[in-house]
């Protein structure tokens, strides 16, 4: 981003999700577990997709939904898979009393914050592009049912 350029709300929200994704990946990188292997793969894809999406969002006025819809959809679907995978891993490390127990507890708020950011981004996408145009891009449970 150019020095002094203002970040759009949508860019800020997805940038926060990228930062949170990086923090989770850094936190779990040293641990091994079958569920964690899946989680790392999902979050790595989410990070790569966000890195493609963010440059397109730099100019909110010119960001065309036809260009970014696939990336947005991937980010939401990755989170949709990552959240229960993380919860399953957290239960496993607690039950098995693995060394990653404290890390799992520390990372839990990041997943909640990611979901909040994605919900807020869904509303922003709806405001920019319209409910009809994003209904197949953003899973419905990220958009509040009360309008």
């Amino acid at each position: 981003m150019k020095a002094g350029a203002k970040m759009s709300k949508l860019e800020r929200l997805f940038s926060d999700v990228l930062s949170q994704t990086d923090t989770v990946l850094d936190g779990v990188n040293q641990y091994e577990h079958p569920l964690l292997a899946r989680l790392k793969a999902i979050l790595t894809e989410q990070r790569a997709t966000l890195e493609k999406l963010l440059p397109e969002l730099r100019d909110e006025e010119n960001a065309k939904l036809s260009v970014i819809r696939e990336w947005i959809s991937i980010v939401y679907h990755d989170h949709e898979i990552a959240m229960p995978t993380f919860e399953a891993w957290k239960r496993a490390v607690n039950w098995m009393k693995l060394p990653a127990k404290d890390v799992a507890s520390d990372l839990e708020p990041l997943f909640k914050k990611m979901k909040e950011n994605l919900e807020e981004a869904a509303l922003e996408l709806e405001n920019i592009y319209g409910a009809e145009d994003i209904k197949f891009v953003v899973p419905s449970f990220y958009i509040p049912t009360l309008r």
Side-chain angles (χ1 to χ4, degrees), residues 97-124:
K97 297 184 182 7
L98 296 175
K101 183 178 177 180
D102 290 339
V103 171
S105 293
D106 291 346
L107 295 177
E108 185 173 22
L110 287 172
F111 277 92
K112 290 178 182 173
K113 188 62 181 159
M114 266 191 252
K115 185 163 194 287
E116 290 171 11
N117 284 331
L118 290 171
E119 288 170 341
E120 194 173 340
L123 288 175
E124 189 67 12

Side-chain angles (χ1 to χ4, degrees), residues 2-15:
K2 295 177 185 173
K6 188 174 183 237
M7 193 181 283
S8 72
K9 181 176 183 179
L10 204 50
E11 184 184 0
R12 179 187 53 78
L13 291 166
F14 282 114
S15 182

Side-chain angles (χ1 to χ4, degrees), residues 38-57:
R38 182 175 185 193
L39 181 65
K40 288 176 188 178
I42 295 163
L43 292 178
T44 299
E45 178 183 65
Q46 182 171 295
R47 176 178 45 200
T49 305
L50 285 163
E51 288 171 347
K52 293 176 196 171
L53 174 63
L54 284 169
E56 294 295 328
L57 295 177

Side-chain angles (χ1 to χ4, degrees), residues 27-95:
V28 299
N29 197 33
Q30 69 185 25
Y31 300 101
E32 295 296 326
H33 188 277
L35 288 167
L36 200 51
R38 182 175 185 193
L39 181 65
K40 288 176 188 178
I42 295 163
L43 292 178
T44 299
E45 178 183 65
Q46 182 171 295
R47 176 178 45 200
T49 305
L50 285 163
E51 288 171 347
K52 293 176 196 171
L53 174 63
L54 284 169
E56 294 295 328
L57 295 177
R58 295 249 151 68
D59 184 4
E60 188 177 277
E61 296 298 318
N62 294 319
K64 299 205 181 324
L65 189 58
S66 62
V67 173
I68 61 175
R69 94 174 62 220
E70 182 180 355
W71 295 329
I72 291 170
S73 186
I74 290 169
V75 169
Y76 279 94
H77 288 111
D78 281 345
H79 184 265
E80 186 179 355
I81 296 166
M83 189 82 166
T85 304
F86 173 77
E87 291 296 327
W89 174 69
K90 190 180 86 169
R91 283 190 304 275
V93 297
N94 284 331
W95 174 72

